[in-house]
Amino acid sequence: KKVALDMASAIVNGDLLYGLSHYDKGRFFCLDIETGKLLWTGPGRTGQNATFLAIPGYLLALLNHGELNIFKLVGEFQKVASYELADSQTWAPPVLLQGAILVKDHDKLTRWEFP
């Protein structure tokens, strides 16, 4: 009753489900999949849609307006970084490469390299 999914598909990592609820104009959340207990929620007005990737210890969430959020997977909401990767709508999930990430927006495919 506190969170729901509309446009964004959730992702499971271990025993936890991460998603973007459409309540409050977009709010990240984390649920325990065995109990259904809501463990945390992020701030509202985050975005309309997000695509997720889970990597060891972290969760990547690319929002529809081109912002990539990186969360540390701990028992609370902990965003560790945020990057603007596109100027137009991003509906496709990012693609992780060794040392880089591919992001497809409305008009182009961009490769971002990690230092």
Side-chain angles (χ1 to χ4, degrees), residues 12-68:
V12 173
N13 189 345
D15 294 334
L16 303 177
L17 180 132
Y18 299 89
L20 179 72
S21 175
H22 64 280
Y23 294 164
D24 300 319
K25 298 189 178 183
R27 181 184 298 273
F28 289 114
F29 68 88
C30 177
L31 292 172
D32 181 304
I33 58 175
E34 281 194 36
T35 65
K37 180 180 177 186
L38 182 62
L39 301 177
W40 57 257
T41 61
R45 300 185 172 271
T46 298
Q48 296 174 331
N49 186 27
T51 56
F52 296 96
L53 293 174
I55 58 176
Y58 295 89
L59 180 74
L60 281 67
L62 181 61
L63 292 161
N64 61 288
H65 57 275
E67 180 182 306
L68 179 72

Side-chain angles (χ1 to χ4, degrees), residues 48-87:
Q48 296 174 331
N49 186 27
T51 56
F52 296 96
L53 293 174
I55 58 176
Y58 295 89
L59 180 74
L60 281 67
L62 181 61
L63 292 161
N64 61 288
H65 57 275
E67 180 182 306
L68 179 72
N69 289 271
I70 303 174
F71 300 96
K72 189 168 186 174
L73 296 181
V74 293
E76 61 189 47
F77 177 79
Q78 187 175 357
K79 182 164 60 169
V80 295
S82 179
Y83 303 96
E84 289 292 331
L85 299 184
D87 294 328

